[in-house]
Amino acid sequence: MATDKPLKIAIVAGEESGDLLGADIVAALKRTTGREVRLVGIGGRHLQALGLTPLFDGGEIALMGLSAILRDLPRLMRRISQTANAVAGEKPDCLITIDSPDFSLRVAKKVRAADPAIPIVHYVCPSVWAWRPGRAVAMKPYVDHILCILPFEVKELARLGGPPGTYVGHRLTHDPGVLGAAKAQSLPRDLSEDRVKTLLVLPGSRRGEVRRLVGPFGKTISILRARGHRLRVLLPTVPHVADLVRASVASWDEKPEIILDPERKWQAFGKADAALSASGTVSLELALSGVPMISCYRLDPVMRMAQRLITVWSAALPNLIADRPIVPESYNEYVRPHYLARQLEALLSDTPYRAWQKDGFAEVARRMAVDRPSSDIAAGIVMRYIKRVSSE
């Protein structure tokens, strides 16, 4: 029977997070269709475990920040053409591009030009709601559907004239580590003044982020100590910046416990009384875990020049999802240790400020809830486009 033949899926995923999303959707396609799935394209260890032989190392396209993209532009353009030619030549049932929009959407555009019959679904909406809103309408000719992981993105795509989108949910909402941390955070805790408080410090997962934030974060902790606070500092990080983190915190007055193991990371989220964090997805991890936080970011020099192009009212995802200010943000020259220390004092005690955040986090969780696994919703949309092409 025709429906028994394997599905051929082309996939482009560079970041570790995108590789995980890709593996989830491939597993869901296998489970929900009962068909074998053959993979072509780019991906990491999770997709490779499902049978993908990547065209090249996906880490080559896992770039963050305009400076990094401009620096590697010639090589990226060669890889874009290589990937698009390989995908079009394979004539897959569908192309799924995942995140890394500066790379993957260029591949999608070239594939559409080479073979308009190939359905193209993009997973993780580009941040058109934050900056460069013109990208939304620009995607429409070559992206058939966008799988959104934030609930407000569907309306934003429609407002900006982009491709149709569906909120499929976010994998963090059913991540066992997040759920375990949230359960621990829901238990009563002693926030009395004389107690040793547990502070999470999260200076980022990229080298530039760490370099820009680790100094002010260390000074903030010194100020808290000088103001009489007794702290246990936990610093979860990732292997590729671990050596930089160790070297950077060596001079801190209060030496943090550096955590590399993912299971111990979530245990730390469950124990934490508050967090001092870089901006990014980690703010959503903290919000869904129920950890009160301050979010900080310092833009690289190129992005500072492009700062006027940013149109969104907040960089903190919990704020955008709840549509109200929950998480305090400090950015660029306003990442001031004396200010951060006083903000943290209000979060390390049983204050209305802390309660306001906790209440906001509950609203974030409510708005992000979906009635079935994200991967199943995403797989259903992919199959809709495959069947549409098959019936034509």
Side-chain angles (χ1 to χ4, degrees):
M1 292 176 62
T3 54
D4 292 333
K5 73 173 186 177
L7 289 168
K8 183 186 283 188
I9 301 295
I11 203 155
V12 177
E15 297 269 6
E16 169 80 2
S17 57
D19 184 49
L20 279 165
L21 290 174
D24 285 348
I25 197 171
V26 169
L29 284 168
K30 289 182 177 181
R31 183 175 64 252
T32 57
T33 66
R35 295 163 67 177
E36 180 186 351
V37 178
R38 295 179 182 172
L39 300 173
V40 297
I42 305 163
R45 57 193 176 97
H46 302 286
L47 283 165
Q48 289 171 38
L50 294 174
L52 174 68
T53 300
L55 297 171
F56 52 85
D57 183 358
E60 290 190 35
I61 64 173
L63 298 175
M64 181 66 177
L66 193 56
S67 300
I69 291 167
L70 291 174
R71 187 169 56 247
D72 285 337
L73 191 59
R75 179 180 58 79
L76 284 173
M77 297 308 294
R78 288 194 299 272
R79 289 303 200 191
I80 286 166
S81 295
Q82 176 191 353
T83 306
N85 291 338
V87 168
E90 288 284 351
K91 295 191 177 297
D93 294 302
C94 186
L95 166 61
I96 305 172
T97 53
I98 305 177
D99 211 358
S100 304
D102 290 299
F103 184 91
S104 62
L105 291 177
R106 285 180 170 85
V107 170
K109 188 174 184 179
K110 284 180 174 289
V111 170
R112 177 53 50 89
D115 189 345
I118 299 172
I120 300 175
V121 175
H122 185 70
Y123 203 164
V124 184
C125 181
S127 52
V128 291
W129 37 267
W131 75 307
R132 293 167 60 195
R135 290 176 295 169
V137 71
M139 288 187 288
K140 199 166 186 177
Y142 57 87
V143 174
D144 295 303
H145 206 94
I146 294 183
L147 307 175
C148 302
I149 63 171
L150 300 173
F152 60 83
E153 291 175 325
V154 175
K155 286 185 178 179
E156 286 297 296
L157 282 170
R159 181 179 69 84
L160 295 169
T166 298
Y167 174 58
V168 300
H170 199 295
R171 72 187 322 271
L172 284 175
T173 60
H174 51 265
D175 183 282
V178 172
L179 295 175
K183 184 177 180 180
Q185 284 289 338
S186 69
L187 300 174
R189 65 179 55 221
D190 181 6
L191 294 172
S192 55
E193 192 173 322
D194 59 348
R195 176 178 166 264
V196 175
K197 305 293 176 61
T198 300
L199 178 66
L200 269 184
V201 177
L202 299 149
S205 59
R206 296 178 175 87
R207 299 181 73 85
E209 282 181 316
V210 172
R211 290 192 182 101
R212 289 189 288 271
L213 290 175
V214 74
F217 283 9
K219 290 177 183 176
T220 300
I221 292 166
S222 295
I223 292 165
L224 285 169
R225 287 187 67 200
R227 290 170 68 85
H229 295 275
R230 298 161 62 215
L231 299 171
R232 179 189 181 194
V233 182
L234 305 179
L235 198 161
T237 190
V238 288
H240 63 271
V241 296
D243 288 343
L244 173 62
V245 168
R246 289 191 187 95
S248 300
V249 304
S251 60
W252 282 15
D253 295 338
E254 183 76 41
K255 300 297 186 293
E257 299 174 36
I258 296 175
I259 298 169
L260 285 168
D261 178 66
E263 185 174 342
R264 286 192 61 219
K265 167 191 167 177
W266 294 119
Q267 290 171 357
F269 273 52
K271 293 173 183 173
D273 296 308
L276 178 58
S277 176
S279 183
T281 303
V282 68
S283 68
L284 196 52
E285 293 179 345
L286 291 164
L288 292 172
S289 298
V291 184
M293 76 183 99
I294 297 170
S295 179
C296 302
Y297 54 100
R298 279 181 161 176
L299 299 173
D300 66 36
V302 175
M303 279 304 297
R304 282 203 182 208
M305 289 189 289
Q307 191 173 356
R308 62 183 177 83
L309 301 176
I310 298 172
T311 59
V312 73
W313 66 271
S314 171
L317 292 176
N319 294 350
L320 296 173
I321 293 166
D323 197 28
R324 63 182 173 93
I326 298 167
V327 177
E329 301 173 88
S330 293
Y331 60 93
N332 295 339
E333 63 269 24
Y334 297 104
V335 180
R336 297 175 177 174
H338 283 279
Y339 179 71
L340 299 179
R342 287 160 175 81
Q343 291 264 27
L344 283 170
E345 282 181 335
L347 294 176
L348 288 167
S349 301
D350 189 11
T351 60
Y353 192 41
R354 180 185 176 90
W356 169 266
Q357 274 205 17
K358 286 280 196 176
D359 179 69
F361 296 159
E363 175 67 10
V364 169
R366 186 189 67 78
R367 293 191 179 203
M368 294 190 70
V370 289
D371 58 1
R372 56 198 175 104
S374 305
S375 56
D376 286 7
I377 301 172
I381 291 164
V382 169
M383 286 307 301
R384 186 204 311 166
Y385 283 92
I386 291 174
K387 289 174 182 176
R388 181 180 297 177
V389 170
S390 299
S391 65
E392 291 176 352

